[in-house]
């Protein structure tokens, strides 16, 4: 059941994951991280070069939406990473690999991306992101339509990566 309290963010389970719908009667509400730690974000925008994985949203469109979202939610973007590569095969995205290394070094604790499948589309890259999330190295993944935290069900998140 959706929480219809004005401004509330639902967190009930759906078959495809957790609902993160914000009651539209109120302004957008950012789900704060459970520990209230300061999180800095890397913004990652990817456009596939694989004809089977073509999405409508261009990198420029993704950047505009995500920068607007970051400004509205007061998210600190440390750096923007852009890549035009297919993510179907692992080890095919040097920009993504660099971003992950820098997250492991502690340069950012969050990722801001258009959809979860922009970050990981194959089980190797998805596993790396899920491992960092599960081990609280990544503290938040914010997408245009959802929030993902270390306390979330990793299997449900993994299913959304490949969708």
């Amino acid at each position: 059941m959706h929480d219809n309290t004005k401004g509330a963010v639902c967190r009930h389970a759906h078959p495809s994951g957790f609902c993160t719908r914000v009651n539209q009667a109120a302004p957008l509400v950012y789900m704060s991280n459970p520990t209230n730690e300061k999180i800095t974000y890397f913004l990652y925008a990817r456009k596939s070069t694989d004809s089977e994985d073509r999405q409508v949203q261009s990198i420029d469109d993704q950047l505009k939406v995500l920068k607007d979202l970051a400004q509205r939610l007061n998210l600190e973007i440390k750096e923007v990473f852009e890549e035009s590569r297919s993510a179907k095969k692992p080890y095919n995205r040097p920009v993504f690999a660099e971003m992950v290394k820098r997250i492991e070094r502690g340069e950012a604790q969050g990722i801001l991306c258009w959809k979860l499948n922009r970050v990981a589309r194959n089980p190797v890259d998805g596993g790396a992101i899920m491992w960092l999330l599960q081990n609280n190295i990544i503290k938040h993944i914010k997408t245009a339509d959802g929030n993902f935290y270390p306390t979330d069900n990793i299997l449900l998140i993994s299913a959304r990566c490949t969708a």
Side-chain angles (χ1 to χ4, degrees):
M1 186 71 155
H2 288 285
D3 182 346
N4 291 317
T5 307
K6 186 174 182 177
V9 178
C10 289
R11 289 293 288 168
H12 72 275
H14 278 278
S16 61
F18 282 94
C19 175
T20 55
R21 172 178 147 293
V22 176
N23 183 341
Q24 298 303 313
L28 183 63
V29 175
Y30 171 62
M31 288 183 51
S32 62
N33 69 69
T35 62
N36 291 319
E37 295 175 57
K38 176 69 176 156
I39 298 175
T40 57
Y41 293 82
F42 284 151
L43 189 159
Y44 182 77
R46 179 180 68 83
K47 175 96 172 147
S48 180
T49 56
D50 188 343
S51 62
E52 292 178 20
D53 189 30
R54 297 245 177 199
Q55 76 276 1
V56 176
Q57 208 70 21
S58 72
I59 287 179
D60 288 340
D61 291 341
Q62 291 176 50
L63 291 174
K64 181 183 180 333
V65 169
L66 294 171
K67 285 179 179 180
D68 288 349
L69 182 62
Q71 184 175 9
R72 258 193 348 260
L73 300 177
N74 198 27
L75 303 180
E76 180 186 337
I77 298 174
K78 184 163 187 171
E79 191 166 332
V80 174
F81 293 85
E82 299 176 38
E83 194 157 44
S84 293
R85 304 290 294 245
S86 172
K88 280 194 167 187
K89 293 180 182 177
Y91 314 114
N92 188 40
R93 297 182 292 154
V95 173
F96 171 79
E98 178 63 25
M99 181 184 73
V100 169
K101 282 181 196 170
R102 291 180 60 189
I103 289 170
E104 289 172 335
R105 288 194 302 249
E107 293 182 38
Q109 303 78 39
I111 298 173
L112 178 61
C113 57
W114 174 249
K115 300 275 186 195
L116 206 51
N117 68 12
R118 297 298 87 205
V119 177
R121 191 75 179 191
N122 67 71
V124 174
D125 293 344
I129 293 297
M130 294 309 111
W131 179 256
L132 294 172
L133 188 66
Q134 192 173 25
N135 286 284
N136 209 31
I137 295 164
I138 295 176
K139 299 187 183 312
H140 182 218
I141 299 173
K142 174 68 183 150
T143 66
D145 64 352
N147 295 283
F148 304 92
Y149 296 98
T151 56
D152 290 341
N153 184 319
I154 223 67
L155 292 175
L156 294 175
I157 295 172
S158 180
R160 288 197 63 182
C161 281
T162 57

